[in-house]
Amino acid sequence: METEFKIGEKVKCKKFGTLSHDFVGAVEKIYENSAMVAIVEHDATDEVAVNDFHNRVIVRLKDMKKVTVK
């Protein structure tokens, strides 16, 4: 399991709560078992939920994967 995340990295996160789809974000702060992620790409149907979260969420590290740039 990958737990080496750095601030500024793009990550793909699993959906949770009121979010219906997975989303892509940028790591802003890292905690012991989670990270604050700024949502940068999301499904249009999740727009209201993303706005309710003010474009930031706390995500468990095990629910995140680094986005590889090709």
Side-chain angles (χ1 to χ4, degrees), residues 10-24:
K10 271 192 157 183
V11 290
K12 182 166 185 171
C13 305
K14 290 183 181 180
K15 64 181 179 176
F16 69 93
T18 56
L19 294 169
S20 302
H21 301 86
D22 293 351
F23 59 92
V24 175

Side-chain angles (χ1 to χ4, degrees), residues 1 9 16 21-22 25 27 33-34 39 42 51 58 60 67:
M1 182 169 34
E9 279 186 318
F16 69 93
H21 301 86
D22 293 351
V27 176
N33 295 310
S34 60
I39 301 171
H42 60 86
N51 285 333
I58 303 295
R60 293 183 294 197
V67 173

Side-chain angles (χ1 to χ4, degrees), residues 12-67:
K12 182 166 185 171
C13 305
K14 290 183 181 180
K15 64 181 179 176
F16 69 93
T18 56
L19 294 169
S20 302
H21 301 86
D22 293 351
F23 59 92
V24 175
V27 176
E28 289 192 338
K29 187 168 184 175
I30 301 171
Y31 302 104
E32 190 172 327
N33 295 310
S34 60
M36 181 186 300
V37 176
I39 301 171
V40 293
E41 297 174 27
H42 60 86
D43 192 272
T45 58
D46 287 333
E47 184 69 30
V48 172
V50 170
N51 285 333
D52 287 346
F53 292 140
H54 301 285
N55 294 0
R56 287 187 174 88
V57 290
I58 303 295
V59 181
R60 293 183 294 197
L61 294 178
K62 67 180 187 175
D63 290 341
M64 300 180 352
K65 275 189 175 178
K66 289 182 185 179
V67 173

